[in-house]
Amino acid sequence: NAGVTQTPKFQVLKTGQSMTLQCAQDMNHNSMYWYRQDPGMGLRLIYYSASEGTTDKGEVPNGYNVSRLNKREFSLRLESAAPSQTSVYFCASRRETADEQYFGPGTRLTVT
Amino acid sequence: AQSVAQPEDQVNVAEGNPLTVKCTYSVSGNPYLFWYVQYPNRGLQFLLKYITGDNLVKGSYGFEAEFNKSQTSFHLKKPSALVSDSALYFCAVSPLNSGGYQKVTFGTGTKLQVIP
C-alpha cells in the first residue's frame, strides 16, 4: 500500500497563477481532507469530502476549490495564487469518524 | 466551538528521562482524542487515540496518554525519552457524535527536543 500520495512535492508560483494539487489514497477510505500548515497555527482545514460525490468547506476555504474525482482522488485547486497561500499543504484520509487520519507527505508551495 | 490547547511551544528533556507533552481540549459532549507526530519535512503520523474505555491509552514507539475527563486533558507521556523522539507533536479532538461529518480540531503543536 502506498497510503496517501501527493503531487507535486514542491511548487513555486507567481501571484495570479493557477495550479492543482493532486491527492490519492489506496485504502478505500470514505473521507478525505485538505489542510494547510503554517508556523504557530497548527493544521487548518481547507475543504473536506465526507464521501465520494460530496465536498464541504472547512475553516479557510477562500481562494481554493476542490474536486472529489472518485473515491481515491481528491484535488485542490488554486485559481489565482496569492502570497498568503504560501504554505505546506497536506492531504489526509480516514475510514470512519472514530478512526485516525492518514496523511500524505505534503506539498510545499511558495507564491511570490 | 471545539478547541485544543498545547500550552508549550517547546519541551526539552534529557535522553532517558520521562517526558510529558500537555494537551487540554474543549468539545461538546464526549471526545475522540488523538496524538500525531511530525518529523521534519514529513506528513503527520498517528501515535494513539482515545475513544472510550480505559483512561490510559498505549500507542506506538512506547508512547502513552492519559485521558482525564474532569481536567479535560490528554497529556502524552513516555517513561524514557530517546533522541529519535525529537519531533513536532500534535493533539487533536473530535466530538463523539453519531452520523455526519465530525470536525477534527488540531492544536498548534509542541516541539519536543530530546538532548543527548
Side-chain angles (χ1 to χ4, degrees):
Chain A
N1 280 354
V4 180
T5 57
Q6 291 182 238
T7 55
K9 285 187 168 50
F10 301 95
Q11 185 72 46
V12 178
L13 293 177
K14 294 186 189 304
T15 297
Q17 287 185 320
S18 62
M19 77 162 296
T20 299
L21 282 65
Q22 306 286 355
C23 173
Q25 52 92 8
D26 62 1
M27 297 171 282
N28 202 36
H29 286 171
N30 293 318
S31 303
M32 297 186 73
Y33 309 82
W34 276 105
Y35 293 93
R36 59 178 289 172
Q37 183 180 24
D38 301 292
M41 303 192 73
L43 272 73
R44 293 183 291 169
L45 182 65
I46 304 171
Y47 270 92
Y48 67 94
S49 171
S51 61
E52 185 179 355
T54 68
T55 61
D56 283 287
K57 296 178 180 179
E59 302 169 65
V60 289
N62 290 347
Y64 305 95
N65 284 299
V66 290
S67 295
R68 182 76 182 266
L69 304 169
N70 46 55
K71 193 169 187 179
R72 289 187 67 248
E73 298 172 289
F74 189 38
S75 61
L76 178 72
R77 182 159 179 84
L78 287 69
E79 290 291 352
S80 179
S84 61
Q85 294 178 305
T86 293
S87 188
V88 181
Y89 291 84
F90 289 100
C91 178
S93 70
R94 69 176 172 178
R95 187 174 56 92
E96 301 290 348
T97 300
D99 293 334
E100 62 273 21
Q101 291 175 310
Y102 289 78
F103 286 81
T107 295
R108 191 172 296 271
L109 175 66
T110 301
V111 183
T112 61
Chain B
Q2 64 196 53
S3 64
V4 175
Q6 293 183 242
E8 300 152 319
D9 290 336
Q10 182 159 335
V11 169
N12 296 323
V13 63
E15 187 177 23
N17 281 4
L19 70 88
T20 299
V21 182
K22 295 179 181 176
C23 171
T24 57
Y25 66 91
S26 173
V27 71
S28 177
N30 292 319
Y32 292 143
L33 292 157
F34 303 85
W35 275 103
Y36 292 86
V37 60
Q38 185 181 32
Y39 298 101
N41 301 312
R42 303 286 295 276
L44 278 69
Q45 297 176 35
F46 169 73
L47 273 182
L48 51 80
K49 66 182 177 184
Y50 172 82
I51 306 298
T52 59
D54 195 347
N55 288 346
L56 184 64
V57 178
K58 294 188 184 297
S60 307
Y61 313 121
F63 284 93
E64 58 189 29
E66 186 163 15
F67 171 63
N68 188 317
K69 188 171 184 177
S70 63
Q71 297 186 5
T72 61
S73 67
F74 190 55
H75 301 330
L76 181 70
K77 302 184 182 203
K78 187 174 182 181
S80 178
L82 300 173
V83 172
S84 57
D85 293 331
S86 298
L88 189 57
Y89 290 80
F90 289 95
C91 182
V93 68
S94 181
L96 200 162
N97 295 323
S98 61
Y101 168 71
Q102 304 305 330
K103 177 184 174 184
V104 180
T105 299
F106 286 83
T108 53
T110 298
K111 183 177 180 180
L112 174 66
Q113 191 79 33
V114 180
I115 302 159

